[in-house]
Amino acid sequence: MLIRKPSEIPSSLITPRTQYLNRRRFLRGALSGAAVAGAAALGVDRAAELISPRTAALAGTKLPTVKSPLSTTGEELTPYQDITTYNNFYEFGVPKGDPSRNAGVLPTRPWTVKVEGLVNKPKTFDIDTLLKMRPLEDRIYRHRCVEAWSMVIPWVGYSLSELLKQVEPQSKAKYVQFLSYYDKHVEKWSDESNIFWPYSEGLRLDEAMHPLTLLTFGLYGEVLPNQDGAPVRIVVPWKYGFKSAKSIVTIRLVEKQPHTTWNDQGPQEYGFFSNVNPNVDHPRWSQKTERRIGLPLFSQRRQTLMFNGYADQVTSLYNGMDLRKYY
Ligand code: MTE
């Protein structure tokens, strides 16, 4: 998504993916060997700090879930391996493989989410309270990135509306802003891109209240790995993936349309609404088709669906709007 100088283009973008992954596997092996040797040199205490249970240990913990009627079915799920190693999480580096390598340092406990702004009952929620607030549902959603690749992901969570109802939005509240965790000492890869941190995204209040908008804690029935946005993220399945802010610490209800990271970066390329729309091309590429990650090469290419296949549920949110203008 970034416009970068040739000297900044990571090799992952110019090397065939299989070759790149093989090289990464080799590097990872070499690096983990080096880490073990390095930890021995540092002493046991420092080594324990490097693999602190506050960071990566929760990922993979099983979550109790119930089935949801709001699931997309009938499509092959993207393998866990692809969902967790092909990521956009620019706080942890620009190449797709970097977040899975680097995000282990994100401290996911203790963690709170502050819900503030134009609400009658502002509140700071502890993440473990949020996890238990409603039954966690399995929701299989199509996940479409603006870069024209897609996945099918079994997320775990419940509708964001359940949380918003608790804080009682005021009638003046028209938008919801999401702010991600940011600490440049922890996320030291964040200066690889020109983004103004923290990562900020937003939805209109009616979009945020739509039952499909998921407050997400897990995938494949387990706690989210850090690179996928632990401990809590948003998933808005009818919009391009960048609307789904990861590792959220603040949810703010506001009157005016909030500033958003990608709209700040390039307003002609990334609109506020960013609904998946095969009829509105990105200025630099077509959005008519997409590449389904994780399938054999010959079967990856497919037609992009209006609203990513959720048109029946969400078209009415945009009645009377020119979707070419409000892209
Ligand atoms: N949230 C934060 N905090 N930082 C990011 O860089 N990237 C966005 C979105 N949320 C991003 C983020 C983009 S561009 C996409 S496509 C999705 O996360 C990717 O989610 P995934 O890695 O789980 O597929």
Side-chain angles (χ1 to χ4, degrees):
M1 298 173 71
L2 300 173
I3 304 167
R4 315 186 75 212
K5 290 185 240 141
S7 61
E8 289 178 320
I9 295 174
S11 57
S12 60
L13 296 181
I14 50 180
T15 312
R17 186 164 174 259
T18 41
Q19 200 180 321
Y20 163 65
L21 287 175
N22 286 341
R23 187 175 348 126
R24 270 192 39 223
R25 270 184 215 117
F26 170 77
L27 282 173
R28 203 187 300 138
L31 285 173
S32 57
V36 171
L42 284 167
V44 176
D45 286 347
R46 182 77 183 106
E49 200 181 301
L50 287 175
I51 49 165
S52 157
R54 284 200 315 129
T55 58
L58 290 162
T61 308
K62 283 259 169 284
L63 289 169
T65 58
V66 295
K67 291 251 164 301
S68 168
L70 291 170
S71 247
T72 317
T73 51
E75 284 181 276
E76 197 177 325
L77 297 183
T78 303
Y80 184 87
Q81 172 73 8
D82 292 297
I83 300 172
T84 57
T85 57
Y86 193 79
N87 298 101
N88 281 335
F89 200 170
Y90 292 103
E91 290 89 327
F92 295 101
V94 174
K96 300 277 184 278
D98 273 9
S100 58
R101 263 196 300 274
N102 301 331
V105 297
L106 180 73
T108 58
R109 288 296 186 287
W111 189 280
T112 56
V113 179
K114 198 172 187 184
V115 190
E116 60 179 26
L118 300 173
V119 294
N120 293 333
K121 295 182 173 168
K123 190 168 168 182
T124 298
F125 294 85
D126 183 77
I127 187 68
D128 292 309
T129 309
L130 276 185
L131 262 166
K132 289 183 211 127
M133 208 172 80
R134 299 285 308 164
L136 297 170
E137 297 170 27
D138 282 313
R139 295 242 192 124
I140 299 170
Y141 281 167
R142 287 180 213 95
H143 180 63
R144 171 61 155 82
C145 180
V146 73
E147 296 161 334
W149 52 264
S150 64
M151 300 188 186
V152 179
I153 305 186
W155 298 111
V156 174
Y158 50 79
S159 297
L160 173 67
S161 61
E162 302 287 354
L163 172 64
L164 295 179
K165 276 186 232 155
Q166 295 227 352
V167 294
E168 296 181 5
Q170 295 171 0
S171 57
K172 267 169 54 182
K174 298 284 182 273
Y175 293 89
V176 184
Q177 182 179 24
F178 305 94
L179 295 167
S180 297
Y181 171 95
Y182 182 59
D183 180 339
K184 69 173 182 215
H185 302 294
V186 175
E187 294 161 321
K188 50 182 193 280
W189 305 268
S190 56
D191 60 8
E192 286 175 16
S193 44
N194 303 323
I195 289 173
F196 306 112
W197 305 105
Y199 194 92
S200 165
E201 256 311 330
L203 295 172
R204 229 171 41 192
L205 183 59
D206 57 345
E207 298 176 318
M209 293 298 284
H210 192 282
L212 284 174
T213 302
L214 193 69
L215 191 65
T216 309
F217 303 91
L219 64 85
Y220 268 107
E222 298 176 349
V223 167
L224 282 173
N226 292 0
Q227 61 269 27
D228 286 280
V232 60
R233 67 177 288 171
I234 293 296
V235 174
V236 195
W238 70 95
K239 293 183 180 275
Y240 293 117
F242 66 86
K243 298 299 287 180
S244 302
K246 294 177 168 181
S247 306
I248 291 168
V249 290
T250 304
I251 299 178
R252 188 177 292 154
L253 283 89
V254 294
E255 191 173 357
K256 303 251 156 59
Q257 186 174 300
H259 87 95
T260 61
T261 293
W262 290 103
N263 193 243
D264 291 347
Q265 289 281 313
Q268 309 78 357
E269 305 202 353
Y270 311 109
F272 177 80
F273 285 94
S274 287
N275 294 314
V276 175
N277 188 343
N279 307 317
V280 177
D281 287 341
H282 182 280
R284 289 185 281 142
W285 58 82
S286 164
Q287 294 292 20
K288 288 200 168 32
T289 65
E290 64 201 53
R291 193 169 56 86
R292 181 65 53 84
I293 302 287
L295 294 181
L297 270 181
F298 66 88
S299 59
Q300 285 190 349
R301 188 61 57 186
R302 60 202 52 232
Q303 298 292 318
T304 288
L305 303 172
M306 188 64 203
F307 293 115
N308 206 22
Y310 300 93
D312 288 351
Q313 291 101 311
V314 301
T315 304
S316 61
L317 293 173
Y318 308 102
N319 279 346
M321 278 174 73
D322 178 353
L323 297 178
R324 288 186 178 275
K325 186 169 167 206
Y326 298 101
Y327 53 92

